[in-house]
Each structure stands twice: as C-alpha cells, then as structure tokens.
Amino acid sequence: MITPSEVKKEVSQYKAPTSSVKNNILYVHLPEFNGSSSQGKRYANTIYYKLTSKTYKGIIIDLRNNLGGDIGPMLAGISPVVP
C-alpha cells in the first residue's frame, strides 16, 4: 500500500519510453513505470504504435535501469512482439 502523497510523487516522476531506428533495427528503451492510468495508456501506446507502424529487420527492447513498477503498461506496449 502506498499513500496518496507517494502516488502524487510517482505521477510527477513519469518517464516516457524512447525509441530510435538504425539500420532498420528498432531500439526501444523501457523505463520503469509508476504513474496514473492516463500516463499508463500513453506509455503503452507510445511503444505499441512504434512497434506496429513499420516492419523492422530486428527489435531490441532495452530494460536497463528499469527498476520495475507497474508492468501492465510495459506488457501492453510490447504485446505485438510477445508470443
């Protein structure tokens, strides 16, 4: 259980996923997620649309420095490539 002030702090520290493409290989960095439900949707959609907008030769999903949090938006975002 977390307090309302801890929730507010986590929402204010939201980190969006980032991506880049080099040699037709998509590199996606997934930071930890602790945020609001609207931030969770934005987090998941950012990844999802990048993965589905084009066909890539390869995809690298980087979890370095990801300390955890709510895994739901992370899994929803990468669902196009998870069997």
Side-chain angles (χ1 to χ4, degrees):
M1 302 295 288
I2 59 176
T3 66
S5 61
E6 289 171 321
V7 170
K8 186 175 181 180
K9 179 181 177 187
E10 289 176 353
V11 168
S12 69
Q13 295 177 350
Y14 167 73
K15 297 175 193 169
T18 58
S19 64
S20 61
V21 178
K22 184 175 182 180
N23 297 325
N24 201 32
I25 296 175
L26 175 64
Y27 170 88
V28 179
H29 177 256
L30 298 181
E32 69 275 0
F33 177 76
N34 292 303
S36 68
S37 61
S38 64
Q39 288 170 326
K41 288 178 187 176
R42 186 175 30 198
Y43 185 105
N45 287 339
T46 297
I47 304 161
Y48 184 90
Y49 290 119
K50 191 63 176 183
L51 290 171
T52 59
S53 66
K54 185 179 172 187
T55 301
Y56 300 97
K57 181 169 65 172
I59 299 170
I60 297 170
I61 298 178
D62 181 0
L63 297 172
R64 286 179 293 168
N65 301 316
N66 181 318
L67 303 175
D70 182 353
I71 196 168
M74 293 178 223
L75 290 176
I78 63 169
S79 65
V81 297
V82 176

